[in-house]
């Protein structure tokens, strides 16, 4: 049995916060801090522009992309069980191919949407679905510079596990309509990787932002202790 305890951290007229702790027996297995705001108009509004990428209709499914990548790189048999696992998820996604001059950079982009019709559900359900889906591909963006999928990859993955994950909702959206998820990793060091993301509606509105830190451990066949450095190039996808 899982027991949830909710603590009032802040209760204001415009904002409030709640701490949720989930316990199984005597062990804490989950913690979440949730903040809420009364809707209000604002004359102060800005956002990053959505990058120009191919539309989702022109891209293959995540499952087909994974199979094509395996066949293209010729780095072992296709993991059909993993592909089937992706296919069973309640969210479909389509990877945005990176231009040749962007490969190996700590950036990533996918289109995603919930499977099925959510038109009769309230906005909170759409937020919950996007919070779930926002975990897709975010932390793995920290591995992009190391190109571990190559047959002769210099780096090998040891562990990649989430430590914490934050989501900020900016505007209403439909989780069952295509959303563009643009991700980048500004830093990996000391066995940890950090990734941040921006989620846009199809018409270019930035509807949510994310951040995730996780354990990122691996091995290097040619250790030289040098830090790979990149210029910020997400906006120029």
């Amino acid at each position: 049995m899982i027991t949830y305890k909710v603590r009032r951290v802040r209760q204001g007229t415009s904002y409030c916060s709640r701490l949720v702790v989930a316990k199984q027996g005597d062990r804490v297995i989950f913690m979440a801090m949730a903040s809420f705001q009364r809707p209000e108009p604002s004359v102060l509004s800005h956002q990053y522009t959505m990058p120009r990428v191919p539309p989702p209709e022109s891209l293959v499914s995540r499952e087909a992309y994974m199979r094509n990548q395996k066949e293209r790189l010729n780095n072992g048999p296709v993991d059909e069980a993993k592909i089937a696992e992706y296919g069973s998820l309640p969210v479909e996604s389509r990877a945005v191919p990176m231009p040749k001059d962007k490969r190996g950079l700590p950036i990533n982009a996918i289109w995603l949407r919930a499977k099925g019709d959510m038109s009769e559900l309230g906005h909170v359900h759409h937020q919950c679905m996007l919070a779930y889906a926002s975990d897709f591909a975010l932390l793995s963006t920290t591995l992009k510079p190391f190109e571990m999928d190559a047959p002769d990859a210099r780096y090998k993955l040891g562990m990649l596990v989430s430590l914490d994950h934050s989501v900020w909702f900016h505007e209403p959206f439909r989780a069952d309509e295509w959303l563009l998820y643009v991700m980048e990793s500004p830093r990996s060091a000391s066995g940890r990787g950090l990734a941040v993301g921006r989620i846009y509606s199809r018409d270019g509105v930035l509807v949510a932002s994310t951040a995730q830190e996780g354990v990122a451990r691996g091995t290097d066949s040619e250790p030289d202790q040098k830090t790979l450095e990149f210029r910020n190039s997400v906006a120029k996808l």
Side-chain angles (χ1 to χ4, degrees):
M1 182 177 69
I2 300 176
T3 303
Y4 293 90
K5 292 187 177 181
V6 181
R7 175 187 170 191
R8 289 192 176 191
V9 178
R10 175 181 179 180
Q11 186 65 47
T13 56
S14 298
Y15 297 89
C16 67
S17 301
R18 299 291 185 267
L19 175 64
V20 182
V21 178
K23 298 182 69 175
Q24 195 166 37
D26 295 328
R27 189 164 64 98
V28 175
I29 61 173
F30 175 81
M31 294 180 66
M33 178 69 78
S35 298
F36 306 89
Q37 176 197 8
R38 291 184 184 275
E40 64 178 79
S42 176
V43 297
L44 307 178
S45 179
H46 81 276
Q47 70 162 67
Y48 282 153
T49 302
M50 183 174 78
R52 293 183 179 181
V53 301
E57 293 81 8
S58 69
L59 305 173
V60 299
S61 67
R62 187 71 179 178
E63 297 84 347
Y65 178 82
M66 292 169 64
R67 185 175 285 106
N68 293 343
Q69 278 288 89
K70 273 289 185 180
E71 294 172 353
R72 182 179 68 84
L73 295 171
N74 192 28
N75 62 346
V78 175
D79 190 342
E80 294 293 348
K82 186 174 183 180
I83 291 176
E85 181 182 353
Y86 267 96
S88 67
L89 296 175
V91 176
E92 61 177 312
S93 62
R94 299 186 180 182
V96 176
M98 289 292 113
K100 289 184 178 180
D101 63 335
K102 303 298 182 185
R103 292 175 186 171
L105 298 181
I107 58 177
N108 195 12
I110 61 173
W111 288 98
L112 56 80
R113 68 177 176 184
K115 296 177 180 177
D117 183 7
M118 295 181 62
S119 59
E120 296 185 2
L121 298 176
H123 186 55
V124 171
H125 291 85
H126 291 262
Q127 290 180 324
C128 290
M129 178 57 77
L130 185 57
Y132 166 79
S134 68
D135 187 59
F136 293 5
L138 183 54
L139 191 56
S140 61
T141 304
T142 64
L143 305 178
K144 288 292 184 179
F146 309 106
E147 301 184 281
M148 295 179 177
D149 290 333
D152 57 347
R154 168 180 168 178
Y155 300 93
K156 300 294 183 183
L157 179 63
M159 179 184 292
L160 188 69
V161 181
S162 177
L163 291 172
D164 50 61
H165 185 179
S166 300
V167 184
W168 296 268
F169 298 110
H170 309 305
E171 297 285 349
F173 58 88
R174 287 279 299 271
D176 56 349
E177 295 180 352
W178 286 114
L179 299 165
L180 178 64
Y181 196 6
V182 180
M183 297 155 276
E184 63 178 314
S185 174
R187 188 70 163 120
S188 285
S190 304
R192 293 175 289 120
L194 173 66
V196 294
R198 302 194 292 272
I199 303 176
Y200 296 87
S201 60
R202 187 103 186 231
D203 57 357
V205 177
L206 181 60
V207 299
S209 299
T210 63
Q212 187 174 27
E213 185 185 40
V215 177
R217 295 173 178 158
T219 58
D220 181 0
S221 61
E222 304 173 25
D224 55 18
Q225 302 300 318
K226 290 182 179 179
T227 299
L228 302 178
E229 296 186 356
F230 307 95
R231 295 182 182 274
N232 190 324
S233 56
V234 170
K236 299 179 181 179
L237 282 178

